[in-house]
Amino acid sequence: MKKFFLAIVIALSTLNCFAGQPQGGIFKHVGIGVGAGLNGVSVELSSPITRWVQMRAGVSIMPNFKLTTDADVDYSLNGYSESTTIDLEGAFGRTQGSIIFNIYPLPWGSFYVAGGLYFGGNKLLKVKGHSADLENVQNAGVEIGDYTLPVDKNGNVKGGLKVNNVRPYVGIGWGRAVPNNRLNFGIELGVQFHGTPKLYTDHGNIMDNYDGDGDNDIQKIMNDLKVWPVLTFKLSGRIF
């Protein structure tokens, strides 16, 4: 992480030296913005780098939106193979950091192209479930597609879906992170490239499910959610 922030500092220094006459210089002006959208609630600090480029650094907090589903469970009982279902609860809540650059290609207006990185918050979906019927049952596991999450001796399953810890971002928007006036409203649409979600577990080991029969909402998220859409409505203000 230290190398990542060092690379950002070097990049900013390079932009400031070679991208033309700065609009007052880095941190000569500072803005603050708040937003709401598909990343949850966000807060950002921003500064012009040049007249064409503004930098934003912020934090986004996603509330614990939940979904419920059920999944197949295979287990052994008295030497026999058995199967049942278990109710699962998933939560999307997470906290992410971001460093993003707005590039304003036109000499007028507030249209921009954005590019940068999101980091942290790699647990996309946290999953938990419990079944009293599975307490002290051997080799019980929840089938999710080609994999099986283990159920512990207390009948609990706990894990979820992970994505990349550092995720490239691109987007387009309207509005200045550091406004020319004191306040402005803005909107931004983009995507995080977080890779294919992968299963993780908080206990035991994930096993291969060679039958690949697990079919539930968690499996659908793994199959379909290769990128995270970002739509944010913003209010930005200039501090100085």
Side-chain angles (χ1 to χ4, degrees):
M1 188 61 72
K2 291 181 179 178
K3 293 181 179 179
F4 170 72
F5 283 111
L6 179 60
I8 292 295
V9 171
I10 294 172
L12 293 181
S13 299
T14 303
L15 281 170
N16 196 40
C17 291
F18 298 105
Q21 181 65 34
Q23 185 181 339
I26 299 178
F27 303 128
K28 183 75 177 289
H29 299 289
V30 173
I32 186 170
V34 294
L38 297 180
N39 270 343
V41 178
S42 60
V43 178
E44 294 180 323
L45 290 176
S46 53
S47 174
I49 306 302
T50 74
R51 63 177 296 184
W52 308 104
V53 180
Q54 295 186 353
M55 181 197 74
R56 301 147 44 196
V59 175
S60 302
I61 301 174
M62 173 67 77
N64 265 325
F65 294 115
K66 297 181 179 180
L67 65 84
T68 57
T69 186
D70 56 42
D72 296 328
V73 179
D74 291 331
Y75 63 97
S76 299
L77 183 63
N78 299 323
Y80 295 95
S81 296
E82 303 284 350
S83 64
T84 185
T85 61
I86 186 173
D87 292 328
L88 299 176
E89 179 182 273
F92 279 101
R94 59 175 175 164
T95 300
Q96 309 175 78
S98 62
I99 295 179
I100 297 171
F101 298 91
N102 290 2
I103 300 172
Y104 296 87
L106 304 175
W108 45 265
S110 298
F111 171 79
Y112 64 87
V113 177
L117 297 172
Y118 279 84
F119 51 89
N122 64 325
K123 291 184 177 180
L124 176 67
L125 178 69
K126 303 178 184 71
V127 176
K128 64 180 180 180
H130 174 79
S131 174
D133 295 335
L134 297 173
E135 293 178 6
N136 299 312
V137 171
Q138 295 180 349
N139 301 320
V142 175
E143 295 183 15
I144 300 177
D146 296 330
Y147 302 98
T148 301
L149 282 177
V151 179
D152 69 13
K153 64 180 181 179
N154 297 314
N156 296 317
V157 58
K158 192 174 181 181
L161 298 179
K162 276 186 175 181
V163 294
N164 297 332
N165 197 48
V166 178
R167 303 173 292 281
Y169 171 79
V170 295
I172 57 174
W174 185 271
R176 291 191 172 270
V178 182
N180 295 326
N181 300 315
R182 283 297 175 186
L183 292 172
N184 76 203
F185 291 94
I187 185 171
E188 183 170 315
L189 177 65
V191 289
Q192 289 185 39
F193 296 93
H194 61 201
T196 301
K198 297 178 175 60
L199 280 173
Y200 74 92
T201 179
D202 289 348
H203 53 249
N205 297 305
I206 295 173
M207 300 168 284
D208 288 328
N209 173 23
Y210 296 105
D211 293 333
D213 292 332
D215 183 14
N216 49 56
D217 290 338
I218 298 171
Q219 177 62 36
K220 292 174 183 176
I221 292 171
M222 291 180 66
N223 292 340
D224 300 335
L225 200 60
K226 301 298 193 299
V227 298
W228 184 263
V230 176
L231 173 63
T232 307
F233 298 93
K234 302 181 177 185
L235 175 63
S236 302
R238 194 177 74 219
I239 300 175
F240 58 84

